[in-house]
């Protein structure tokens, strides 16, 4: 799947059970591997980044198993060493695996090579390597100085004393040193140089180390004393909390899409800093409720969300969700102190700015900030995701603005949340579509228009678009054999619809498109794949709150394949011929029953046999045979279906 099209949504409400936290999962796995004894891990996240860590641990000789039924992992710790002393490890783009493993391996007396995907090789690691070298580790750059891949060689470790590490690029360097230094057995002090960013992630590290028996003394956020003479010991069973960063998308969905939306797996007592995303959301006006193991968000009672100006250094990952939430506020929003975004899965400041502009926002991008001004109306767009799971996930929220959105390369969410889009679709309600098709003269046009009026929905008569292309071609002297030019005409069609009237470049062509020439031309252009493709987005744009009734050949199969209601309206050829005969008589026009019937039968056969968008009832469409029904009964039937 190269892309995923999310339809415009009416709103969001419901409950989502969160997958396990990435940060806690990978830290717990490494600590369990370094500990004495067996650790049972429950609710571990199942995702690419965790797979990279599990693969690496296995390659290093750490035994682990997974009980599929209870989804429990059992890790047999190596008591501070890795049995395998020579290994080549590939760690993808998993920073939470790469940094801590680098530190642990550098102190464990083996020879190791660590590499990742190209983007991993662009993410700095020099500050961590500098820290490790201060205790004697032999870590070399196998590619560019300061960046992975790395080559680690056995070395004489000189433990103790003070290790200095920069804290203003990535907090993961400090996390890695903290987790590895107990392996030396000697008390070591870490001094942080520069302002420490993403402090809550350090709290997670310290909390988990404590569970494994190592209590680091923290002096403010600048000095950390790792005790000597201690070893990691398995605490027995560890439960992994739900991922608080992943929670941000659903909480924002509740705030933007009405809600309430509840996430389960994190709550009041969470050790993850990203639960504070909920606080940020409440400054926008969202209603937030927090329980022991859940958080819930609902739209502001006062209407639109409020514009914000926030320092988001403490929640760098969840803050991306706020950049998209900014689209739904009442003014320019400022996201400050987010420089670390530049060294994540992609340059997230640049990526978010580019993609937010695509949906219509005005964005100012700085070295460490973004200023997002929401547009009056969102524009449908194809979002590039830069192999960054969070870009993909947060842009799904655009659909809650009643705007369709395409997510390119949606599988990048596998990094942390493989089932993200399924869960999102569990809580988001698509703008409903009633798709009506059927043979010529079945009355589908009349029924569709009345159903739309009764429901207060928008109405799309897709056949008139093909008729308009034909008329435009006739006017412009374009041949009906020239598919390329016809597709260009279709793409730029200056069509406008008013109730019961159709305009082409502001000329009323309601009757003109019903002429014989246009009907014949329409059926010719309608079998051209390029013409159909050129009209696709235009048709999808009719899907707007509160709903759409769409009539025509491929409404339920191609244009709105996810339509909740699909109707195939038909009647016997004889009945349809009789109805048409009556219509013509009423208009005072000459008509012949036999030739009308033959025309219809020929047309049915042609429509059913054509290779492109043939006439046929879809398996998931409801058959409505109107042979014995009048129009009120037919409309009543469709309304019942649509309402249920
Ligand atoms: O429904 P109508 O007669 O106005 O349609 C005009 C032509 O366009 C007819 O040949 C069927 C074709 N058509 C189509 O191929 N796909 C649609 N969605 C609607 C109409």
């Amino acid at each position: 799947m190269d892309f995923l099209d999310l339809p415009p949504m009416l709103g969001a409400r419901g409950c989502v059970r969160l997958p396990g936290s990435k940060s806690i999962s990978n830290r717990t796995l490494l600590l369990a591997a370094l500990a004495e004894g067996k650790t049972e891990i429950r609710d571990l996240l199942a995702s690419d980044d965790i797979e990279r860590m599990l693969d690496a641990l296995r390659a290093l000789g750490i035994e682990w198993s997974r009980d599929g039924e209870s989804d429990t992992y059992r890790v047999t710790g190596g008591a501070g060493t890795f049995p395998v002393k020579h290994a080549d490890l590939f760690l993808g783009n998993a920073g939470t695996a790469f940094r801590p493993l680098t530190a642990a391996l550098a102190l464990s007396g083996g020879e190791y090579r660590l590499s990742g995907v190209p983007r991993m090789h662009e993410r700095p690691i020099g500050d961590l390597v500098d820290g490790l070298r201060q205790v004697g580790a032999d870590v070399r750059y196998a590619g560019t100085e300061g960046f992975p891949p790395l080559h680690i060689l056995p070395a004489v470790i000189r433990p103790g004393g003070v290790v200095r590490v920069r804290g203003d690029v990535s907090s993961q360097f400090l996390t890695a040193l903290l987790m590895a230094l107990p392996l030396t057995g000697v008390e070591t002090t870490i001094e942080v140089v520069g302002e420490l960013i993403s402090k809550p992630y350090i709290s997670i590290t310290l909390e988990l180390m404590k569970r494994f028996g190592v209590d680091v003394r923290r002096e403010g956020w600048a000095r950390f004393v790792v005790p000597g003479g201690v070893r990691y010991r398995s605490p027995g069973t560890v439960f992994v909390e739900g991922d608080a960063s992943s929670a941000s998308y659903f909480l924002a969905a509740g705030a933007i899409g009405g809600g309430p939306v509840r996430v389960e797996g994190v709550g009041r007592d969470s050790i993850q800093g990203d639960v504070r995303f909920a606080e940020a959301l409440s400054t926008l006006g969202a209603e937030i409720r927090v329980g022991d193991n859940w958080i819930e968000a609902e739209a502001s009672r006062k209407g639109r969300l409020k514009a914000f100006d926030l320092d988001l250094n403490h929640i760098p990952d969840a803050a991306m969700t706020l950049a998209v939430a900014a689209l739904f506020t009442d003014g320019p929003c400022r996201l400050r102190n987010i420089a670390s975004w530049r060294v994540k899965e992609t340059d997230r400041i640049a990526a978010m700015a580019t993609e937010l502009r695509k949906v219509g926002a005005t964005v100012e991008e700085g070295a460490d900030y973004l200023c997002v001004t929401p547009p009056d109306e969102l524009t449908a767009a194809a979002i590039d995701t830069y192999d960054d799971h969070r870009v993909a996930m947060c842009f799904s929220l655009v659909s809650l603005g009643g705007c369709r959105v395409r997510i390119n390369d949606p599988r990048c969410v596998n990094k942390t949340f493989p089932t993200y889009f399924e869960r999102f679709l569990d809580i988001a309600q698509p703008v409903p579509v009633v798709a009506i098709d059927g043979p010529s003269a079945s009355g589908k046009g009349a029924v569709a228009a009345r159903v739309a009026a009764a429901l207060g929905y928008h109405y799309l008569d897709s056949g008139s678009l093909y008729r308009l292309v034909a008329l435009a071609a006739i006017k412009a002297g374009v041949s009906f054999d020239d598919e390329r030019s016809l597709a260009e005409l279709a793409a730029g069609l200056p069509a406008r619809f008013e109730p019961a009237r159709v305009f082409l470049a502001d000329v009323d062509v309601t009757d003109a498109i019903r002429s014989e020439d246009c009907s014949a031309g329409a059926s010719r252009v309608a079998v051209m794949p390029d013409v159909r493709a050129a009209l696709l987005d235009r048709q999808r744009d009719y899907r707007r709150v509160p709903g759409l009734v769409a009539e025509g050949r491929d409404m339920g199969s191609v244009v709105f394949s996810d339509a909740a209601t699909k109707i195939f309206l038909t009647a016997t050829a004889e009945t349809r011929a009789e109805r048409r005969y009556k219509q013509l008589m009423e208009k005072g026009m000459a008509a012949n029953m036999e030739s009308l019937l033959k025309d219809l039968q020929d047309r049915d056969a042609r429509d059913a046999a054509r290779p492109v968008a043939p006439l046929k009832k879809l398996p998931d469409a409801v058959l409505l045979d109107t042979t014995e029904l009048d129009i009120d009964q037919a409309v009543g039937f469709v309304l019942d279906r649509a309402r249920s």
Side-chain angles (χ1 to χ4, degrees):
M1 206 192 351
D2 296 333
F3 59 81
L4 173 73
D5 281 332
L6 291 172
M9 301 292 178
L10 279 181
R13 68 182 300 156
C15 183
V16 174
R17 174 99 214 145
L18 294 169
S21 151
K22 173 184 73 160
S23 302
I24 298 179
S25 291
N26 265 351
R27 282 171 176 76
T28 303
L29 281 172
L30 182 58
L31 291 172
L34 295 175
E36 276 174 4
K38 283 192 182 183
T39 306
E40 190 176 275
I41 308 176
R42 298 286 184 89
D43 302 331
L44 191 80
L45 171 63
S47 81
D48 284 353
D49 277 12
I50 310 307
E51 292 285 322
R52 297 292 78 73
M53 179 63 104
L54 284 164
D55 289 349
L57 293 179
R58 179 151 284 159
L60 292 166
I62 299 294
E63 280 177 35
W64 60 262
S65 63
R66 172 173 175 245
D67 173 352
E69 230 162 82
S70 61
D71 204 18
T72 302
Y73 285 78
R74 290 191 181 81
V75 181
T76 306
T81 57
F82 294 103
V84 173
K85 292 294 170 202
H86 295 267
D88 253 341
L89 304 177
F90 174 77
L91 297 163
N93 200 6
T96 55
F98 206 109
R99 282 67 174 267
L101 273 170
T102 295
L105 292 171
L107 304 184
S108 67
E111 183 183 357
Y112 304 102
R113 289 176 187 275
L114 284 77
S115 63
V117 297
R119 173 63 188 168
M120 193 74 233
H121 297 172
E122 293 170 5
R123 298 173 69 182
I125 199 161
D127 295 329
L128 173 60
V129 172
D130 288 348
L132 291 166
R133 285 177 176 165
Q134 291 168 49
V135 290
D138 188 354
V139 184
R140 302 178 188 182
Y141 298 110
T144 310
E145 194 77 5
F147 297 85
L150 299 179
H151 184 190
I152 294 172
L153 290 155
V156 179
I157 300 301
R158 304 181 302 272
V162 175
V163 175
R164 288 193 177 79
V165 65
R166 266 179 72 180
D168 54 357
V169 175
S170 165
S171 69
Q172 284 186 19
F173 305 148
L174 175 56
T175 280
L177 284 172
L178 284 165
M179 292 213 289
L181 283 171
L183 302 182
T184 66
V186 178
E187 181 180 293
T188 312
T189 299
I190 307 175
E191 277 182 11
V192 179
V193 181
E195 171 76 10
L196 179 63
I197 61 166
S198 314
K199 297 182 182 79
Y201 284 103
I202 299 303
S203 300
I204 297 180
T205 305
L206 298 180
E207 171 65 29
L208 292 174
M209 286 172 68
K210 195 150 120 192
R211 283 193 203 165
F212 279 85
V214 174
D215 210 346
V216 173
R217 202 169 74 234
R218 177 169 79 77
E219 295 168 10
W221 291 102
R223 272 170 71 88
F224 299 82
V225 182
V226 180
V230 287
R231 282 169 158 250
Y232 288 122
R233 282 185 319 276
S234 166
T237 302
V238 177
F239 287 86
V240 175
E241 281 183 18
D243 195 296
S245 315
S246 300
S248 68
Y249 313 110
F250 302 107
L251 296 176
I256 296 163
V261 174
R262 178 179 284 206
V263 292
E264 287 178 353
V266 291
R268 195 176 289 123
D269 302 324
S270 170
I271 62 169
Q272 298 169 75
D274 271 1
V275 289
R276 291 188 57 197
F277 172 80
E279 274 168 38
L281 209 50
S282 70
T283 65
L284 276 62
E287 302 286 331
I288 304 290
R289 284 176 288 279
V290 184
D292 288 343
N293 194 35
W294 55 265
I295 307 178
E296 195 171 86
E298 200 171 345
S300 165
R301 295 214 183 89
K302 297 191 190 102
R304 216 173 153 83
L305 293 172
K306 288 200 296 276
F308 60 88
D309 178 346
L310 292 170
D311 181 328
L312 297 166
N313 192 272
H314 61 300
I315 51 168
D317 284 358
M320 289 172 76
T321 312
L322 286 176
V324 178
L327 296 171
F328 299 91
T329 64
D330 59 4
C333 300
R334 213 172 173 83
L335 297 92
R336 281 185 284 112
N337 207 356
I338 51 169
S340 69
W341 282 21
R342 297 224 182 255
V343 295
K344 300 281 178 145
E345 279 79 343
T346 184
D347 177 341
R348 286 176 167 171
I349 293 187
M352 293 302 286
T354 305
E355 302 309 311
L356 285 165
R357 283 182 191 125
K358 282 189 190 166
V359 298
T362 306
V363 184
E364 185 192 325
E365 177 192 335
D368 66 348
Y369 73 90
L370 271 181
C371 186
V372 182
T373 305
D376 292 335
E377 197 176 350
L378 291 167
T379 311
I383 300 301
D384 289 315
T385 49
Y386 311 84
D387 203 18
D388 186 339
H389 54 139
R390 297 205 188 284
V391 176
M393 293 191 278
C394 63
F395 271 92
S396 64
L397 299 171
V398 169
S399 63
L400 294 170
C403 177
R404 66 191 162 81
V405 61
R406 171 169 291 183
I407 307 289
N408 286 332
D409 187 22
R411 273 169 306 200
C412 65
V413 302
N414 289 353
K415 189 172 200 291
T416 52
F417 200 161
T419 58
Y420 173 73
F421 290 107
E422 281 99 314
R423 295 292 81 74
F424 181 71
L425 291 170
D426 285 345
I427 58 145
Q429 291 106 35
V431 170
V433 174
V434 179
I436 302 182
D437 191 15
S440 187
S442 60
K444 60 185 192 292
V447 170
R450 287 194 32 190
V451 168
L455 293 170
Y457 284 9
H458 301 274
Y459 170 54
L460 168 62
D461 163 16
S462 59
S464 65
L465 288 173
Y466 293 95
R467 291 172 178 274
L468 279 165
V469 174
L471 180 64
I474 294 167
K475 285 192 169 177
V478 171
S479 155
F480 283 122
D481 295 320
D482 184 353
E483 183 165 354
R484 259 230 345 246
S485 303
L486 290 166
E488 270 169 33
L489 271 183
L493 204 62
R496 189 163 58 78
F497 294 86
E498 281 179 14
R501 312 259 23 120
V502 183
F503 296 83
L504 186 65
D506 289 331
V507 179
D508 186 334
V509 294
T510 316
D511 296 325
I513 60 165
R514 298 276 147 197
S515 70
E516 258 322 298
D517 284 355
C518 277
S519 296
S523 69
R524 289 190 65 183
V525 300
V527 294
M528 296 176 169
D530 287 357
V531 172
R532 301 196 77 85
L535 291 175
L536 199 55
D537 281 350
R538 179 190 289 266
Q539 295 176 85
R540 288 187 172 149
D541 283 340
Y542 279 87
R543 185 178 195 169
R544 289 184 173 264
V545 177
L548 173 69
V549 178
E551 175 233 319
R553 196 53 34 88
D554 54 352
M555 293 300 103
S557 57
V558 177
V559 185
F560 304 109
S561 55
D562 68 329
T565 313
K566 298 182 187 178
I567 306 282
F568 190 80
L569 200 92
T570 189
T572 61
E574 288 74 13
T575 307
R576 287 183 279 138
E578 269 169 37
R579 288 177 187 162
R580 182 136 294 176
Y581 182 80
K582 267 195 210 150
Q583 270 174 3
L584 293 171
M585 286 293 143
E586 277 163 16
K587 286 187 186 167
M589 292 159 90
N592 171 303
M593 256 310 275
E594 250 167 62
S595 76
L596 279 175
L597 178 60
K598 170 129 194 357
D599 272 0
L600 277 175
Q601 284 167 331
D602 288 351
R603 199 156 154 189
D604 286 356
R606 270 202 316 273
D607 280 355
R610 69 183 211 186
V612 179
L615 172 69
K616 86 170 191 274
K617 182 188 135 355
L618 296 169
D620 56 347
V622 180
L623 182 74
L624 172 57
D625 187 335
T626 65
T627 306
E628 307 286 335
L629 304 180
D630 64 22
I631 184 159
D632 289 333
Q633 289 170 310
V635 169
F637 178 93
V638 179
L639 285 175
D640 281 349
R641 285 277 156 179
R643 287 181 176 134
S644 68

